Amino acid sequence: QVQLVESGGGLVQAGGSLRLSCAASGSISSINIIIMGWYRQAPGKQRELVARITRGDRTNYGDSVRGRFTISRDNTKITGYLQMNNLNPDDTAVYYCYVRAFTGDYWGQGTQVTVSS
């Protein structure tokens, strides 16, 4: 069994910062992970890509967050991170951690990020 647990969400004012964490546990190791990423979904909108990082350390960012957010990972701890700076109200959403491994695809339960104006 594989479990992804997000943490670090909360309420911040516009211009503030948050750092999200995604801890993987269970029958998984860093060498089996192909992709780690973050997605978000706001009410009435489709789930969208925020950022992703591949086995080759290639990164991709959504157009709306590029330059403000940074994705990283700690292979030893099997934990992913999303540093979010210069937050604005449009960033308000539930943020989900996603992992594609050789054994399958896994999603976290999500963590709420709310940015006040």
Side-chain angles (χ1 to χ4, degrees), residues 31-97:
I31 62 173
N32 292 328
I33 296 175
I34 303 170
I35 298 169
M36 191 279 289
W38 293 90
Y39 291 76
R40 69 185 183 186
Q41 188 166 24
K45 296 184 178 181
Q46 291 185 315
R47 186 172 298 187
E48 65 174 341
L49 171 70
V50 177
R52 66 197 290 268
I53 185 167
T54 70
R55 287 175 62 85
D57 293 327
R58 292 184 179 182
T59 58
N60 300 99
Y61 295 93
D63 291 340
S64 63
V65 307
R66 188 177 297 108
R68 298 187 296 121
F69 292 7
T70 303
I71 188 171
S72 62
R73 62 185 176 189
D74 185 330
N75 292 333
T76 301
K77 297 180 178 180
I78 318 178
T79 301
Y81 304 94
L82 182 69
Q83 179 66 46
M84 305 185 295
N85 298 325
N86 300 315
L87 288 162
N88 61 69
D90 289 337
D91 295 317
T92 296
V94 177
Y95 285 70
Y96 298 91
C97 180

Side-chain angles (χ1 to χ4, degrees), residues 18-34:
L18 284 174
R19 189 192 191 202
L20 305 183
S21 298
C22 174
S25 62
S27 301
I28 193 169
S29 63
S30 60
I31 62 173
N32 292 328
I33 296 175
I34 303 170

